[in-house]
């Protein structure tokens, strides 16, 4: 036995080590306590998760349209005209509900007449918003609507309020939706489309507080009412869904002014734009790849702000619209990082990692759980820009981790929302804590229940014990998206590094569903109802 100062120090070190081990053991035991999660029956006032929450965005920006959807004639890929069909096939698979076009900031500089008629006669213009690229207008209104038809997606057009006129917007609507014998409809027929298109979703301006004109909310509401007055319905075409250019993130004053000043009957929806910046700093947003856990943590923490922001705007809307007639559309959202090194800074090209997929799953869970008010959303953007679903390099094409989340979550489209209750464990880093778990659930028309689960903790699995009162089910199946690191991504050399797999971590235990949810994962489960064959 040691004696003297050295022995005392040794005993002290041993005591400290024992206490540390005891603390770690207790912490681990606490962390391993199952999460008690309940999927409640649908409320009496049943709510549907609108398919339009699963919308996308195609701005004339970088390589989204040109070199994305709209391929070079010499490119050796399947095409209809110049529409790239491998992209169409991939997006049809995930049931893209709507596609927003032509912007974005570009919308308030776009004049629709530049993009109709014989291609050779269309003017060349400069895209002053995005890299001063030359716009040849070969992709215009007819090409976009053909793309939407191929996708099976509803077109969502943004009218030019910032630099256009009321007459220009009204003419575009007549050109597309009227069947009367007028010069505009004759022009549409001459350009190859005899019948009206019947486009219903119309944004009246975009980011009118910023690139759409730097307007005050009071001024914009007067402008909106003037434009909306001349946004006419036409016999034979469905009524227009007039959509107000709404707030920038956490700006309740904009929403308050719009709801107070614009009659409910003049608007179908109100927009909200909210991006997730890894660092929270627009000057240095952070890289898309090669980041560490600290930047991962700040990204998902910033993503989770979406819940409080949506709730704040929804509460303001409830004050003026208690019957929830007006939809909230988060028609620009997603992760925005610094561009990839060596690429045009005006083209906003960034890689897409498992971190982005976890943000997408979390955000869609938030929208699903606010589906009484959030009835539309558009991820920015579909191809080669920001948090893209698809990246291309000449003939090569890859699906990003974010694409796979939309593949998983398509089961929620137009399904009946089911409330989910649980107390989330905490994910802690550097003295900060955020909820590790988020979820949403729905029941489809066949009676199958789907539960989408996201574990944001990159280091620790979660065990869930789930009760489902009032839900009769007999079997569970699922799919999972995860990888070794949150910074893993798909490259053109390794396009399937991050991909979906069957999930075997859920089982029926009596009337309960028991789930082991791996770290840094997105899982969607399907519960087969009693009486239904198959899974």
């Amino acid at each position: 036995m040691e004696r003297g100062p050295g022995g005392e120090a040794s005993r002290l070190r041993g005591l400290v080590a024992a206490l540390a081990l005891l603390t770690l053991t207790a912490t681990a035991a606490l962390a391993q306590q199952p999460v008690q999660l309940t999927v409640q029956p649908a409320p009496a006032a049943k709510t549907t998760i609108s398919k339009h929450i699963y919308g996308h965005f195609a701005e004339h920006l970088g390589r989204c349209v040109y070199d994305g959807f709209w391929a070079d004639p010499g490119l050796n890929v399947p095409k209809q005209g110049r529409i790239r069909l491998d992209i169409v096939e991939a997006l049809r698979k995930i049931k893209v509900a709507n596609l927003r076009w032509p912007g974005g900031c570009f919308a308030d500089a776009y004049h629709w007449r530049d993009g109709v008629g014989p291609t050779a006669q269309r003017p060349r213009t400069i895209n002053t918003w995005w890299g001063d690229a030359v716009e040849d207008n070969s992709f215009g209104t007819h090409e976009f609507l053909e793309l939407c038809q191929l996708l099976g997606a509803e077109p969502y057009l943004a009218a030019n309020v910032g630099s256009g006129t009321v007459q220009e917007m009204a003419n575009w609507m007549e050109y597309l939706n009227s069947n009367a014998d007028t010069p505009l409809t004759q022009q549409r027929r001459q350009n190859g489309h005899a019948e009206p298109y019947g486009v219903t979703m119309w944004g009246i301006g975009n980011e009118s507080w910023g690139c759409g004109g730097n307007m005050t909310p009071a001024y914009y509401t007067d402008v909106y009412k003037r434009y909306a007055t001349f946004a006419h319905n036409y016999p034979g075409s469905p009524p227009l869904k007039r959509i107000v250019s709404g707030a920038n993130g956490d700006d309740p004053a904009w929403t308050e002014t719009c709801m107070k000043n614009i009659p409910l009957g003049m608007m179908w929806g109100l927009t909200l734009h909210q991006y997730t910046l890894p660092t929270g700093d627009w000057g240095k947003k952070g890289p898309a790849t090669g980041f560490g856990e600290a930047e991962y943590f700040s990204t998902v923490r910033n993503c989770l702000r979406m819940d409080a922001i949506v709730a704040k705007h929804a509460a303001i809307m409830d004050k003026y619209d208690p019957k929830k007639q007006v939809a909230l559309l988060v028609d620009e959202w997603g992760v925005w990082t610094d561009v990839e090194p060596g690429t045009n800074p005006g083209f906003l090209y960034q890689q897409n990692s498992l971190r982005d997929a976890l943000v997408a799953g979390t955000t869609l869970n938030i929208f699903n759980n606010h589906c009484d008010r959030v009835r539309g959303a558009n991820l920015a953007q579909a191809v080669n820009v920001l948090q893209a679903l698809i990246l291309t390099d000449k003939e090569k094409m890859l699906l990003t981790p974010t694409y796979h989340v939309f593949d998983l979550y398509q089961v929620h489209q137009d399904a009946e929302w089911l409330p989910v209750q649980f107390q989330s464990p905490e994910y802690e880093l550097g003295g900060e804590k955020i909820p590790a778990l988020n979820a949403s659930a729905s029941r489809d028309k066949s009676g199958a229940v789907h539960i989408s689960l996201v574990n944001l903790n990159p280091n620790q699995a979660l065990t869930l014990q789930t009760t489902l009162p009032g839900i009769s089910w007999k079997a569970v199946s699922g799919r999972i998206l995860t990888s070794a690191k949150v910074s893993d991504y798909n490259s053109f050399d390794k396009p399937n590094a991050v991909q979906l797999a069957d999930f075997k971590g859920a089982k029926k235990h009596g009337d309960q569903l028991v789930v082991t949810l791996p770290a840094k994962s997105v899982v969607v489960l399907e519960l087969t109802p009693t009486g239904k064959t198959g899974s």
Side-chain angles (χ1 to χ4, degrees), residues 293-294 297 427-433:
E293 187 174 354
F297 183 93
Y427 165 35
E428 181 176 0
L429 187 72
E432 286 191 83
K433 298 177 181 179

Side-chain angles (χ1 to χ4, degrees), residues 25-102:
T25 303
T27 302
L30 184 63
Q32 291 166 7
Q33 289 295 315
V35 178
Q36 302 298 320
L37 185 147
T38 303
V39 178
Q40 300 281 8
K46 294 184 178 181
T47 307
T48 298
I49 297 174
S50 173
K51 67 179 181 179
H52 289 293
I53 287 173
Y54 295 85
H56 294 280
F57 184 21
E59 185 170 3
H60 286 236
L61 195 175
R63 296 170 51 242
C64 183
V65 173
Y66 300 100
D67 204 25
F69 284 113
W70 196 239
D72 184 275
L75 198 68
N76 186 24
V77 293
K79 298 186 292 292
Q80 179 165 311
R82 288 178 58 183
I83 295 173
R84 187 165 172 163
L85 293 180
D86 52 354
I87 291 178
V88 168
E89 181 183 0
L91 295 179
R92 280 186 65 88
K93 182 176 182 291
I94 61 171
K95 299 178 181 176
V96 171
N98 69 75
L99 190 62
R100 181 171 177 250
W101 177 85

Side-chain angles (χ1 to χ4, degrees), residues 48 413-416 443-448:
T48 298
Q413 292 190 24
D414 284 344
E416 179 185 63
R443 177 167 26 209
D444 68 18
K445 291 179 176 60
S446 75

Side-chain angles (χ1 to χ4, degrees), residues 418-441:
L418 300 176
V420 179
Q421 295 180 342
F422 61 95
Q423 184 68 43
S424 174
E426 292 176 326
Y427 165 35
E428 181 176 0
L429 187 72
E432 286 191 83
K433 298 177 181 179
I434 60 173
L437 175 67
N438 60 83
S440 65

Side-chain angles (χ1 to χ4, degrees), residues 226-307:
R226 184 162 67 95
Y227 273 71
T229 299
F230 293 92
H232 295 298
N233 294 317
Y234 288 93
S237 285
L240 300 185
K241 298 174 180 176
R242 302 172 182 86
I243 298 167
V244 177
S245 175
N248 177 22
D250 194 7
D251 180 6
W254 190 279
T255 299
E256 183 94 34
T257 304
C258 289
M259 294 302 297
K260 181 171 64 176
N261 290 0
I262 301 171
L264 296 181
M266 289 189 80
M267 54 179 166
W268 177 83
L270 173 74
T271 70
L272 169 67
H273 290 181
Q274 171 65 22
Y275 286 95
T276 294
L277 277 60
T279 65
D281 180 357
W282 282 100
K284 188 170 179 57
K285 296 177 282 292
T289 61
F291 50 85
E293 187 174 354
E295 198 157 293
Y296 166 76
F297 183 93
S298 66
T299 305
V300 293
R301 178 198 62 204
N302 294 342
C303 157
L304 287 166
R305 293 183 62 233
M306 181 70 84
D307 188 45

Side-chain angles (χ1 to χ4, degrees), residues 203-410:
I204 310 299
N206 167 77
E207 295 190 357
S208 299
W209 38 262
C211 63
N214 282 301
M215 303 178 195
T216 65
Y219 178 77
Y220 170 72
T221 57
D222 283 344
V223 170
Y224 173 87
K225 286 184 286 188
R226 184 162 67 95
Y227 273 71
T229 299
F230 293 92
H232 295 298
N233 294 317
Y234 288 93
S237 285
L240 300 185
K241 298 174 180 176
R242 302 172 182 86
I243 298 167
V244 177
S245 175
N248 177 22
D250 194 7
D251 180 6
W254 190 279
T255 299
E256 183 94 34
T257 304
C258 289
M259 294 302 297
K260 181 171 64 176
N261 290 0
I262 301 171
L264 296 181
M266 289 189 80
M267 54 179 166
W268 177 83
L270 173 74
T271 70
L272 169 67
H273 290 181
Q274 171 65 22
Y275 286 95
T276 294
L277 277 60
T279 65
D281 180 357
W282 282 100
K284 188 170 179 57
K285 296 177 282 292
T289 61
F291 50 85
E293 187 174 354
E295 198 157 293
Y296 166 76
F297 183 93
S298 66
T299 305
V300 293
R301 178 198 62 204
N302 294 342
C303 157
L304 287 166
R305 293 183 62 233
M306 181 70 84
D307 188 45
I309 289 171
V310 167
K312 180 182 287 188
H313 290 288
I316 295 168
M317 296 175 75
D318 287 348
K319 184 167 68 170
Y320 297 93
D321 175 29
K323 294 182 179 179
K324 301 183 187 294
Q325 299 174 57
V326 180
L328 180 62
L329 294 89
V330 190
D331 65 357
E332 288 190 30
W333 68 272
V335 176
W336 193 326
T337 71
D338 296 331
V339 301
E340 292 302 303
T343 64
N344 188 326
F347 282 12
L348 304 187
Y349 178 80
Q350 63 189 51
Q351 249 297 352
N352 191 295
S353 67
L354 179 64
R355 174 183 68 176
D356 300 289
L358 293 163
V359 167
T362 299
T363 304
L364 291 170
N365 280 339
I366 291 169
F367 294 160
N368 288 349
N369 289 324
H370 285 282
C371 63
D372 61 331
R373 183 64 79 175
V374 177
R375 299 200 286 275
N378 298 80
L379 176 71
Q381 292 187 13
V383 186
N384 289 329
V385 172
L386 296 174
Q387 191 176 344
L389 300 174
I390 292 171
L391 301 178
T392 66
D393 178 15
K394 299 183 174 63
E395 282 83 6
K396 295 179 181 178
M397 185 196 85
L398 66 80
L399 307 177
T400 68
T402 296
Y403 173 93
H404 295 308
V405 171
F406 276 84
D407 190 358
L408 286 173
Y409 277 56
Q410 64 177 291

Side-chain angles (χ1 to χ4, degrees), residues 1-240:
M1 181 176 179
E2 292 184 80
R3 298 183 182 275
E8 189 64 31
S10 178
R11 284 193 296 277
L12 185 59
R13 285 195 296 272
L15 180 61
V16 170
L19 287 171
L21 179 61
L22 184 62
T23 302
L24 284 171
T25 303
T27 302
L30 184 63
Q32 291 166 7
Q33 289 295 315
V35 178
Q36 302 298 320
L37 185 147
T38 303
V39 178
Q40 300 281 8
K46 294 184 178 181
T47 307
T48 298
I49 297 174
S50 173
K51 67 179 181 179
H52 289 293
I53 287 173
Y54 295 85
H56 294 280
F57 184 21
E59 185 170 3
H60 286 236
L61 195 175
R63 296 170 51 242
C64 183
V65 173
Y66 300 100
D67 204 25
F69 284 113
W70 196 239
D72 184 275
L75 198 68
N76 186 24
V77 293
K79 298 186 292 292
Q80 179 165 311
R82 288 178 58 183
I83 295 173
R84 187 165 172 163
L85 293 180
D86 52 354
I87 291 178
V88 168
E89 181 183 0
L91 295 179
R92 280 186 65 88
K93 182 176 182 291
I94 61 171
K95 299 178 181 176
V96 171
N98 69 75
L99 190 62
R100 181 171 177 250
W101 177 85
C105 292
F106 183 79
D108 281 299
Y110 182 68
H111 301 283
W112 68 271
R113 288 181 183 273
D114 291 344
V116 297
T119 304
Q121 296 176 19
R122 299 181 190 180
R124 293 170 67 84
T125 55
I126 298 175
N127 187 339
T128 52
W129 281 113
W130 304 116
D132 286 330
V134 174
E135 166 69 56
D136 70 4
N137 286 297
S138 59
F139 187 92
T141 296
H142 288 264
E143 292 78 16
F144 171 69
L145 294 172
E146 182 182 7
L147 171 62
C148 288
Q149 183 180 30
L150 290 170
L151 291 171
E154 185 167 343
Y156 174 11
L157 295 179
N160 181 346
V161 171
S163 69
T165 66
V166 172
Q167 188 65 60
E168 182 180 16
M169 179 204 71
N171 286 348
W172 200 9
M173 292 174 173
E174 180 184 334
Y175 179 88
L176 290 174
N177 290 353
S178 175
N179 204 26
D181 192 15
T182 68
L184 283 166
T185 59
Q186 289 172 8
Q187 185 183 1
R188 184 194 69 231
R189 292 165 187 148
Q190 290 166 5
N191 290 334
H193 205 273
E195 299 300 318
Y197 282 103
V199 176
T200 64
M201 295 181 72
W202 288 88
I204 310 299
N206 167 77
E207 295 190 357
S208 299
W209 38 262
C211 63
N214 282 301
M215 303 178 195
T216 65
Y219 178 77
Y220 170 72
T221 57
D222 283 344
V223 170
Y224 173 87
K225 286 184 286 188
R226 184 162 67 95
Y227 273 71
T229 299
F230 293 92
H232 295 298
N233 294 317
Y234 288 93
S237 285
L240 300 185

